[in-house]
Amino acid sequence: MTKTAWVFPGQGSQVVGMGNDLLELPEAKAIAQQAADILGWSVAEICQSAEDKLSRTLYTQPCLYVVECLLADQMRAKGHQPALVAGHSLGEYVALYVAEVFSFSAGLQLVKRRAELMDSASDGMMAALIGFDCDQLTQQIEQTPDVVLANDNNAGQVVISGTIAAVETVLNIVKAKRAVKLNVSGAFHSPLMAAAATEFQAVLDQVSFSPAKVAILSNVDPTPATDAAVLKQRLIQQMTGSVRWREISLQLPELGIETVVEIGPGKVLTGLIKRTCPDLILKNVSNLGEISTVVDSEP
C-alpha cells in the first residue's frame, strides 16, 4: 500500500462556494450547527458571500477549518487514513484535528480566537516574492531590522513579514520576477505578532491536547512528532514563527511518503511541493467528487 500524507492549506486558498456539496450532507449539518453555535454566524452563508467578506481573516480561517475538517472526515469515512499529516499555517489546526489531538469543537474555538486576534492586528505588512536571488534576499533580511522570512514555501517562492518600512526596503532592493503585497491586516508569522501570541497562549493553555494518532510535521519544526506537549509548544510558537514548508516538503520522501493528498480548496500546497519534490505523487481533494476520484485511483 502506498504510504500517503495528507496536507491542509491555509489562508489564501479560500474560494467562494467552497464546501457547498459537503454542507448538504446530513452528517455535516450537525457539524455546521455546532460551528454556528461557536462562531455566532453561518459558515455556509459566509462561503456563499462576496469574496471580500470570505477573504477577511475573521471569517476565512474558521471557514477553511470547517470545510477541511469535513473533507477529511469524508475521506476517513471511506476507510482511508494518512500515515502523516501537515498543514500550512491555519491548516496545521486541521492536521491536529485529523490526528485526534483535539476535538472539532476545541479546534474551532482555538481557530476562532486566532482569527480574531490576527484580524485585529494592525501593525506591519506581508509580501510574497517569486523568482528571486536567495542569497541576496537572505543577506538583505539580515541587514534590515524588523523584517523576517515568514513563509519559506519553496526555492522560488517565499513571503516576508515585518514593519511597512522594513518590507518596502527589502522589496526595493531585492530583485524578483514578481513581488506581491498581501492583503492581510498585519505582519503574520513575525515577532510583531508577539502580543497577540501571548494573548492566544492563554486560550491555548486551557485546551487539553492528546497524543497524535499519526505523526505531524509542524510549521515551526518540520520533524515528525506525536507527543501532546511538543505539539502544543510548536503551536504556541506558530503565530510568531516562520512557516517552514520547503523543509516539510523535503521531509516527506525522507519519511517514506510516496503520495501526498492536499485536502481543501485549491492546489496551492501541491504546487509548492511539486517544485521541491517532483517525484512525489500529488492529488487534490477539494469537494466530494474528488474524494471518489482519489479513492478510485489508489493502488
Side-chain angles (χ1 to χ4, degrees):
M1 180 67 100
T2 301
K3 196 172 180 181
T4 301
W6 290 1
V7 297
F8 304 94
Q11 195 164 345
S13 60
Q14 69 275 2
V15 292
V16 173
M18 66 181 186
N20 282 356
D21 52 352
L22 286 164
L23 293 165
E24 290 301 314
L25 295 172
E27 60 268 34
K29 289 184 177 179
I31 296 292
Q33 184 56 56
Q34 188 178 6
D37 292 340
I38 293 170
L39 298 169
W41 45 267
S42 165
V43 167
E45 288 180 11
I46 295 296
C47 286
Q48 291 284 3
S49 64
E51 186 175 351
D52 59 344
K53 187 166 187 177
L54 176 61
S55 295
R56 183 180 168 188
T57 297
L58 185 68
Y59 298 116
T60 309
Q61 295 188 13
C63 285
L64 284 171
Y65 176 83
V66 171
V67 169
E68 291 176 21
C69 286
L70 286 172
L71 280 169
D73 285 346
Q74 288 300 308
M75 287 283 286
R76 292 189 291 188
K78 300 284 188 182
H80 295 269
Q81 292 286 348
L84 188 74
V85 291
H88 193 285
S89 193
L90 178 278
E92 188 168 315
Y93 288 78
V94 187
L96 289 162
Y97 162 72
V98 170
E100 299 182 40
V101 173
F102 48 56
S103 66
F104 170 82
S105 60
L108 183 56
Q109 286 167 345
L110 288 175
V111 168
K112 176 179 183 285
R113 189 63 188 133
R114 180 184 192 264
E116 290 169 348
L117 289 167
M118 293 176 75
D119 185 68
S120 63
S122 57
D123 292 331
M125 66 180 288
M126 303 178 76
L129 285 83
I130 300 164
F132 53 90
D133 185 308
C134 185
D135 291 337
Q136 185 191 25
L137 177 62
T138 300
Q139 183 180 29
Q140 193 55 48
I141 288 176
E142 289 174 352
Q143 293 175 355
T144 308
D146 302 321
V147 65
V148 297
L149 184 65
N151 296 359
D152 180 11
N153 288 328
N154 63 29
Q157 182 184 346
V158 299
V159 175
I160 60 174
S161 181
T163 64
I164 294 173
V167 172
E168 293 281 14
T169 296
V170 173
L171 294 180
N172 288 335
I173 294 173
V174 175
K175 295 178 180 178
K177 288 183 180 177
R178 192 175 174 213
V180 181
K181 296 176 184 177
L182 302 186
N183 183 23
V184 294
S185 58
F188 304 159
H189 297 293
S190 84
L192 291 180
M193 296 298 294
T198 299
E199 192 171 343
F200 182 66
Q201 184 174 345
V203 179
L204 193 57
D205 285 343
Q206 297 173 19
V207 178
S208 176
F209 276 39
S210 300
K213 296 292 180 67
V214 295
I216 298 171
L217 301 180
S218 301
N219 287 195
V220 299
D221 188 340
T223 54
T226 57
D227 182 82
V230 169
L231 293 169
K232 179 176 278 194
Q233 182 57 38
R234 290 180 177 182
L235 204 60
I236 289 169
Q237 296 172 297
Q238 197 216 63
M239 199 176 284
T240 56
S242 298
V243 177
R244 296 162 60 182
W245 194 258
R246 179 179 58 85
E247 294 173 72
I248 287 175
S249 301
L250 290 168
Q251 277 283 306
L252 297 173
E254 291 294 319
L255 295 168
I257 296 297
E258 300 168 74
T259 300
V260 178
V261 181
E262 180 176 2
I263 299 178
K267 299 182 179 181
V268 172
L269 298 185
T270 47
L272 296 177
I273 294 169
K274 184 175 183 179
R275 173 160 185 154
T276 306
C277 302
D279 294 333
L280 289 173
I281 299 167
L282 304 173
K283 300 180 180 182
N284 296 86
V285 170
S286 60
N287 55 54
L288 283 175
E290 288 179 346
I291 291 176
S292 300
T293 302
V294 167
V295 169
D296 292 345
S297 65
E298 286 186 352

